[in-house]
Amino acid sequence: MSTSANSANLKVASIQMVSTPNLQENLSTASRLIAAAAVDGAKLVVLPEYFCLMGLKDTDKVSARERFGSGPIQEQLSQIAKENNLHLVAGTIPLEAKEPNKVLNTTLVFCPTGKQIARYDKIHLFGFQTATERYQESETIEAGNEPGLLKISSNGNEWIFGLSICYDLRFPELYRTLGQVDCHIIPAAFTYTTGKDHWEILLRARAIENQCYVLASAQGGKHQNQRRTWGNSMLIDPWGEILTNLPEGEGFISGVLCKDKLNEVRSKLPALAHRKL
């Protein structure tokens, strides 16, 4: 059923990229894929974590950081949302932090007029080390401390989205703190190593336990810095069923959020109403 056939539906899309160290190249790729999703009917589109820059070294993002509210990345994102007449959840971009050698890894949301309407700074910072891999986000990223919500109106219906980023996925208490939402939006750049074992399981768990949709946008391939990301951008329904999935490479997935499906799941198994803690 199309969104036009039912005003209680909302068509959404998730972009998957294999971002490079070239900022403008990544913005051009994002713009092209967002435009394609808009032509397909999406009214809300999500970009992946680090969509604008996957640097050759971790400190590259510090050099690219912008002041909140101004800068070429934010200006182009605003224009893209406006040109395509949609809500754009802009993955993550590097914003100025208190410490000069760090950034905030921030999701900004732009409405169809191009106005910035929501913000979330990544709270949980990823750290991982094996004999061959090492990642330590806290060396270049300053952690946020406020959960993020997005509320939009479409065809007379309010839609509530939880905002989280990548490693946040492993901390279910964050999702409980956000309360009842229609959909959790999760831009990510999961490593191949952790993604193959945990990505799908964690995403489906967040959908099932919160009885909501989950829309995940991922990096998905081998990057010029030799990092390999897992991909598998997907839309999951409130019963935990994967509705659509893109295993790897750049592209987009799309699907429909349905108020009736949310109500059906929460009625037949009212787990949210049964909570004690």
Side-chain angles (χ1 to χ4, degrees):
M1 185 180 292
S2 69
T3 53
S4 60
N6 188 340
S7 64
N9 289 351
L10 180 71
K11 188 161 188 179
V12 298
S14 176
I15 304 295
Q16 185 160 290
M17 294 175 60
V18 188
S19 295
T20 75
N22 187 312
L23 178 64
Q24 197 53 54
E25 178 184 352
N26 295 327
L27 284 166
S28 295
T29 298
S31 180
R32 170 172 52 82
L33 292 170
I34 292 165
V39 170
D40 190 53
K43 297 303 180 184
L44 179 143
V45 176
V46 184
L47 288 166
E49 185 181 30
Y50 299 132
F51 81 91
C52 63
L53 187 69
M54 189 68 82
L56 295 176
K57 54 186 185 299
D58 286 345
T59 53
D60 287 353
K61 58 180 171 284
V62 180
S63 302
R65 68 182 184 171
E66 295 183 352
R67 179 179 294 111
F68 176 53
S70 66
I73 300 173
Q74 293 169 82
E75 290 168 3
Q76 290 182 67
L77 291 169
S78 171
Q79 187 62 30
I80 291 169
K82 188 174 181 179
E83 288 175 353
N84 292 284
N85 190 36
L86 49 71
H87 285 89
L88 176 59
V89 183
T92 69
I93 69 169
L95 292 184
E96 287 186 351
K98 293 176 183 177
E99 299 181 55
N101 62 334
K102 294 185 179 182
V103 300
L104 292 163
N105 194 21
T106 301
T107 295
L108 295 179
V109 184
F110 298 85
C111 75
T113 65
K115 181 181 179 183
Q116 187 267 315
I117 59 169
R119 170 180 176 172
Y120 169 65
D121 301 328
K122 187 178 184 181
I123 291 175
H124 299 98
L125 302 184
F126 180 60
F128 177 76
Q129 185 165 344
T130 67
T132 57
E133 291 179 277
R134 181 182 183 275
Y135 304 101
Q136 197 64 45
E137 288 189 324
S138 62
E139 293 177 354
T140 54
I141 296 175
E142 182 179 295
N145 53 31
E146 291 289 335
L149 281 175
L150 167 66
K151 297 181 181 182
I152 70 172
S153 180
S154 177
N155 294 322
N157 287 282
E158 182 182 64
W159 295 89
I160 303 175
F161 299 87
L163 300 177
S164 59
I165 300 167
C166 200
Y167 194 48
D168 285 332
L169 181 59
R170 294 182 180 274
F171 301 89
E173 64 272 20
L174 172 62
Y175 297 85
R176 285 300 198 214
T177 298
L178 287 166
Q180 188 165 301
V181 303
D182 298 301
C183 178
H184 280 298
I185 292 173
I186 308 173
F190 251 59
T191 68
Y192 186 91
T193 304
T194 58
K196 65 183 175 64
D197 293 330
H198 297 157
W199 173 247
E200 179 187 322
I201 294 169
L202 289 169
L203 288 173
R204 295 180 72 189
R206 297 296 86 85
I208 293 165
E209 70 194 9
N210 293 292
Q211 299 190 313
C212 68
Y213 290 92
V214 166
L215 180 62
S217 172
Q219 295 279 352
K222 188 70 173 288
H223 303 268
Q224 289 181 32
N225 61 9
Q226 301 308 303
R227 179 175 177 178
R228 187 180 181 188
T229 46
W230 176 240
N232 285 279
S233 297
M234 60 181 71
L235 176 63
I236 302 168
D237 79 4
W239 197 244
E241 179 182 354
I242 298 172
L243 300 179
T244 182
N245 176 55
L246 178 59
E248 62 182 341
E250 73 172 42
F252 73 91
I253 58 167
S254 63
V256 175
L257 309 186
C258 175
K259 291 282 191 182
D260 288 344
K261 180 64 175 182
L262 286 161
N263 293 333
E264 173 197 338
V265 169
R266 292 169 181 176
S267 295
K268 70 181 180 182
L269 179 61
L272 295 177
H274 294 159
R275 289 179 61 203
K276 299 297 185 182
L277 299 177

